[in-house]
Amino acid sequence: EILAELAKQIQSNKVSRFNINRGDIWDGALRGFRRSTYNPTYTMLVKFTDDSGNTEHAIDAGGPKRQFLQLLIQDLQYQRTFEGKENEKYLRCDKAASDKTSTCDPSLEDILMFATGLRAIPPLGLQPRPTICFHHDGSLLPVANTCGNILTLPIHKTYDNFRFYVSFGILNSPGFWPVLT
């Protein structure tokens, strides 16, 4: 019923164009949705290209659009846009992943989870006591040793770089997943 109502709103005589590189579906989707001419009530017109910029010669009578949306949904799994249990996902604040010019600041809960694996401080406190160390090896991202409650922060030449990379690392490494440096 909801989908039928939404389908009635589509203006089939107008199009929103998407030029999608098969090597980076996510980037093409973001560019398409951010276009000033994009309108969610217009029909989507999708053209695929390869990494060299060669356009595939398919006429979008629905097939390329369906394939694009299917690939986009698959790609969303790897974007860290959603978090939570397998069938209880919710959107997370992750502007750093979708817009490399800005970032969201991690909350104290995010920092605690990253450094200790806990969402809240236990009633008897943390053992061992949390420690903050600093990288002096050129690493860009923070590293956590959750067993030892050790947060190791990178050294950067500017505060903006420090803030970007630390926020990016913390917000994109929920739980016990490894952070690549």
Side-chain angles (χ1 to χ4, degrees):
E1 187 175 313
I2 294 172
L3 292 177
E5 187 59 38
L6 289 172
K8 289 179 191 175
Q9 297 175 26
I10 300 297
Q11 300 177 42
S12 58
N13 60 334
K14 297 183 178 179
V15 297
S16 289
R17 297 184 186 279
F18 287 78
N19 298 311
I20 305 299
N21 180 320
R22 287 193 179 273
D24 196 347
I25 302 295
W26 184 250
D27 180 64
L30 289 177
R31 284 185 293 106
F33 289 123
R34 289 177 176 162
R35 280 187 176 177
S36 61
T37 57
Y38 172 74
N39 185 318
T41 65
Y42 293 0
T43 298
M44 292 175 69
L45 181 65
V46 176
K47 286 192 177 184
F48 284 102
T49 62
D50 61 18
D51 287 335
S52 301
N54 299 318
T55 303
E56 296 178 9
H57 298 290
I59 296 172
D60 191 353
K65 175 175 50 181
R66 283 191 302 275
Q67 186 179 28
F68 162 63
L69 293 172
Q70 184 179 33
L71 291 170
L72 181 60
I73 288 170
Q74 288 173 352
D75 203 39
L76 276 171
Q77 297 177 68
Y78 306 105
Q79 292 301 323
R80 304 282 189 162
T81 303
F82 301 94
E83 70 176 19
K85 297 176 185 171
E86 184 64 31
N87 52 354
E88 295 179 16
K89 301 275 186 195
Y90 55 92
L91 281 170
R92 72 177 280 124
C93 177
D94 194 6
K95 280 186 71 68
S98 64
D99 180 358
K100 294 176 176 60
T101 62
S102 63
T103 184
C104 296
D105 291 325
S107 67
L108 290 176
E109 182 180 329
D110 292 329
I111 296 168
L112 182 67
M113 179 58 156
F114 180 82
T116 67
L118 300 171
R119 291 249 174 243
I121 297 174
L124 297 177
L126 292 166
Q127 290 299 322
R129 292 183 58 106
T131 304
I132 297 177
C133 299
F134 295 92
H135 282 297
H136 292 281
D137 62 0
S139 298
L140 296 176
L141 299 169
V143 174
N145 174 334
T146 57
C147 294
N149 295 329
I150 301 168
L151 174 61
T152 305
L153 299 173
I155 303 292
H156 287 276
K157 292 182 180 178
T158 68
Y159 173 72
D160 287 340
N161 280 351
F162 172 82
R163 180 177 172 209
F164 174 82
Y165 284 107
V166 169
S167 295
F168 182 84
I170 290 172
L171 291 173
N172 287 283
S173 299
F176 295 102
W177 297 348
V179 177
L180 301 176
T181 56

